[in-house]
Amino acid sequence: MYNFIQKFHSGWAYLVLLLLVITVINSLIGMISKKEFTGKDRKIALFGLLFTHIQLVFGIILYFVSPLGKASLGQMSDATLRLTSLEHPLINILAIVLITIGWSKHKKSTTSESKFKTISVFYGLGLLLILARIPWHLWFNKM
């Protein structure tokens, strides 16, 4: 079960990153070109939100079933263990909170420009935080 959850979490991450990049680019294009915020734009942002929350659920499950997570809690002096057991989960939870705030704030916005701007900023910050705390060395070793 652990191996399945780990592979799902790693594979799903590609979809999450792709959707967040698409969402941020779509919002930036919409904001710059001053186009109307449509149902398509809302759905793109919603899928970005949903996929990140699914990733969060599997990440939390993985954290508690992972032998690496359990063994590393007392070893914060090791940078690799600290990244996987503390920094990656906490920063990514913060990133998902920002994305969720962006989704909620965009619903309260009245103009298309402010909707696009809100999504661009919050989803963009979330994407940057996620990219900053991915354990790249572990990700590329699995390939």
Side-chain angles (χ1 to χ4, degrees):
M1 177 151 139
Y2 165 72
N3 286 333
F4 170 77
I5 294 171
Q6 183 183 31
K7 298 233 183 286
F8 182 88
H9 184 70
S10 294
W12 195 258
Y14 290 106
L15 294 173
V16 169
L17 292 174
L18 178 65
L19 270 169
L20 288 177
V21 167
I22 289 170
T23 303
V24 171
I25 290 172
N26 180 64
S27 294
L28 288 171
I29 290 170
M31 186 174 62
I32 292 167
S33 66
K34 299 191 186 310
K35 73 175 201 157
E36 193 65 33
F37 191 86
T38 64
K40 178 193 79 135
D41 302 311
R42 187 186 69 76
K43 286 177 187 170
I44 290 171
L46 178 61
F47 278 111
L49 175 79
L50 292 173
F51 275 54
T52 56
H53 281 110
I54 291 168
Q55 181 73 347
L56 173 65
V57 169
F58 275 90
I60 290 171
I61 293 168
L62 181 62
Y63 186 80
F64 288 106
V65 299
S66 169
L68 182 62
K70 291 176 188 172
S72 64
L73 287 177
Q75 302 172 0
M76 292 299 126
S77 61
D78 183 341
T80 301
L81 291 174
R82 187 176 58 247
L83 174 64
T84 57
S85 64
L86 181 68
E87 295 171 4
H88 175 72
L90 289 178
I91 297 299
N92 286 341
I93 288 170
L94 178 62
I96 293 169
V97 166
L98 285 172
I99 290 167
T100 305
I101 290 170
W103 173 259
S104 296
K105 287 180 76 72
H106 109 275
K107 293 191 309 184
K108 296 175 186 168
S109 298
T110 55
T111 66
S112 291
E113 183 181 2
S114 64
K115 287 178 185 277
F116 282 125
K117 184 177 181 181
T118 301
I119 289 173
S120 309
V121 169
F122 283 92
Y123 279 57
L125 288 172
L127 176 61
L128 288 175
L129 287 174
I130 289 169
L131 289 171
R133 292 292 88 196
I134 289 176
W136 294 105
H137 62 284
L138 295 175
W139 223 18
F140 291 130
N141 286 341
K142 304 252 186 243
M143 294 180 172

